[in-house]
Amino acid sequence: MSKVVITLAAFAVAASVAGCAKKPAEEEYVVVQPEPISVEPTYTGKYK
C-alpha cells in the first residue's frame, strides 16, 4: 500500500511541476512587402 501512495505522490509532484512550468514565448515575425522596382505606367489618354 505504501508503494501506491508514494507512486501517486510522485505523479502529483510531477504534474504540479509540469503545470507550473513557464511556457515558451511565441516567436513573432514580420512579413515586409518588397517595393516595386519600377512604377507601372498609367493611362494618360490616346495620343499623349
Side-chain angles (χ1 to χ4, degrees):
M1 182 70 176
S2 65
K3 287 184 180 181
V4 173
V5 173
I6 292 173
T7 304
L8 289 176
F11 280 125
V13 169
S16 64
V17 169
C20 295
K22 193 172 186 181
K23 305 281 190 249
E26 291 186 22
E27 186 175 330
E28 294 183 17
Y29 59 94
V30 178
V31 177
V32 178
Q33 296 292 332
E35 293 293 325
I37 296 173
S38 62
V39 179
E40 300 243 351
T42 57
Y43 181 74
T44 57
K46 188 173 182 181
Y47 295 109
K48 291 185 181 181

